[in-house]
Amino acid sequence: MDLKTASAIRRLRLVSAPEAISFLLLLVCSVLKRTTDFNAVPVMGMIHGVLFILYVIFWLDAWNRTKWSAKTGIWYFLLSVLPTGGFFAERRLKREAEDAVIASRARQEGIVNA
């Protein structure tokens, strides 16, 4: 895995959890808006919107660089629209990045011819 591909996966990982947290907070704010006088939906909506747009941009970049299959690429997008999906995406991306580092080291040491 080259440096740009690893960076693309890292950026997607870094925005996954905050995007999921902002989604959950937006849901909480929506409930509070309807049950109390507390209205933070405009602020949380904007924060979540920015994080979601960043997630989509980083997702497209990672998909382009890693050459994921359509199934994998779509799976990562679907995780972004589920309230807690960003946490699962982050965990899976971390595992994928670690596996890529292990494979890269194995190739450098001549253990694997891949």
Side-chain angles (χ1 to χ4, degrees):
M1 176 182 297
D2 65 340
L3 186 59
K4 289 184 179 184
T5 304
S7 295
I9 290 175
R10 181 171 167 73
R11 279 191 303 268
L12 184 59
R13 267 189 62 218
L14 288 176
V15 79
S16 293
E19 191 271 337
I21 291 168
S22 71
F23 194 179
L24 292 173
L25 288 175
L26 180 60
L27 292 175
V28 169
C29 288
S30 295
V31 170
L32 290 175
K33 176 184 176 183
R34 285 158 180 74
T35 58
T36 66
D37 291 335
F38 183 74
N39 185 11
V41 172
V43 174
M44 277 312 303
M46 184 178 64
I47 292 170
H48 174 67
V50 169
L51 288 170
F52 181 74
I53 289 169
L54 284 174
Y55 184 95
V56 170
I57 291 169
F58 294 157
W59 165 75
L60 286 170
D61 184 41
W63 192 0
N64 184 41
R65 293 186 186 280
T66 59
K67 306 299 184 213
W68 286 324
S69 66
K71 179 181 175 184
T72 302
I74 292 169
W75 176 248
Y76 281 122
F77 181 76
L78 287 176
L79 287 175
S80 74
V81 297
L82 298 174
T84 57
F87 300 119
F88 296 107
E90 194 276 333
R91 186 179 312 145
R92 192 167 166 187
L93 287 164
K94 182 179 180 182
R95 193 174 323 127
E96 186 174 325
E98 289 170 351
D99 291 347
V101 168
I102 291 169
S104 175
R105 287 182 183 160
R107 280 192 299 275
Q108 287 177 350
E109 294 175 5
I111 297 171
V112 178
N113 290 331

